[in-house]
Amino acid sequence: MTDKIELTAEVKQMALIAKAMSHPVRLYILKKLSTMNACCYSGDLVEELPIGRSTLSQHLKELKFAGLIQGEIEPPYIKYCLNKENWAKARELFAQLFDNQNKGELKKLDL
Amino acid sequence: MTDKIELTAEVKQMALIAKAMSHPVRLYILKKLSTMNACCYSGDLVEELPIGRSTLSQHLKELKFAGLIQGEIEPPYIKYCLNKENWAKARELFAQLFDNQNKGELKKLDL
DNA sequence: AAATCATTTCGTTATTTTGCGAAATATAGA
DNA sequence: TCTATATTTCGCAAAATAACGAAATGATTT
């Protein structure tokens, strides 16, 4: 029996990030914050999204939990922005997954 | 009231892919197939992962459902490989999310 | 102090996910 | 045909997720 491995902290971290991205509404929010390079308010989002306020709040909480966004209190609003540091980390993790083919032993490309 | 938007098929598609990636075991499998640029058998995986056979089978099924892997029957085994076409599509979607800052209106970088 | 506004938390319900072991399937070899 | 092997499907239980409306919070204005 080849011994069991322990799933690394990195894999677990990335799975957490992927989970945060695994709902259309949350992905929409991330896409908006990222491509606009801007912040937004819960009130803006609830007007354009087909979900209720409390549901949206829950989604924002999950994005916060994953570290992808952060909320600045700006009474009476809360301004939500990307957490740039963690966003960069997430980008790195996904780039590593998608682009790091043939890590370790180089593939011979002589066809 | 700014009118409600419809979440695009693209966002929904990507959420589906993110969901497939949202479990450490599934991410481990994808990472293995991608970085090794190789295929593997369910039996190989069950020996190194801390889960049972039926549970692993379920995870493989989900990865297949999301289109990220495919299984070739190679009796008595089933050889699992990345679905390269869809993998490339996934890479593109994530790259777009992470790298396409300021789509549309170019940001003025004059600080 | 009372009313208002943006947002969150609570309580609930329905659905999905994760995990397991047992049973089923399918193929190859004796 | 019987047995062994690799893997999946089934049936189940526990936990997590998604959604809602009602109530609570916290800050500002009247």
Side-chain angles (χ1 to χ4, degrees), chain B residues 13-77:
Chain B
Q13 237 269 299
M14 190 172 169
L16 212 82
I17 293 171
K19 184 151 81 176
M21 295 178 158
S22 74
H23 189 286
V25 162
R26 294 196 294 265
L27 206 45
Y28 174 86
I29 294 168
L30 291 173
K31 241 177 145 59
K32 175 161 185 156
L33 294 180
S34 167
T35 63
M36 302 300 209
N37 198 37
C39 301
C40 68
Y41 302 96
S42 174
D44 303 340
L45 291 170
V46 87
E47 279 183 5
E48 54 188 299
L49 289 169
I51 56 171
R53 284 165 200 286
S54 59
T55 305
L56 173 62
S57 193
Q58 199 57 33
H59 285 307
L60 290 169
K61 191 177 178 182
E62 282 179 66
L63 288 172
K64 244 187 303 180
F65 175 74
L68 296 177
I69 67 171
Q70 61 202 124
E72 278 175 57
I73 296 167
E74 201 177 71
Y77 303 98

Side-chain angles (χ1 to χ4, degrees), chain A residues 43 54 57 77 80:
Chain A
S54 59
S57 193
Y77 302 98
Y80 284 103

Side-chain angles (χ1 to χ4, degrees), chain B residues 93-110:
Chain B
L93 287 169
F94 279 92
Q96 203 174 298
L97 174 63
F98 282 116
D99 303 330
N100 267 20
Q101 240 82 357
N102 320 119
K103 197 177 140 193
E105 23 214 324
L106 278 307
K107 182 176 61 178
K108 300 197 186 76
L109 280 172
D110 41 351

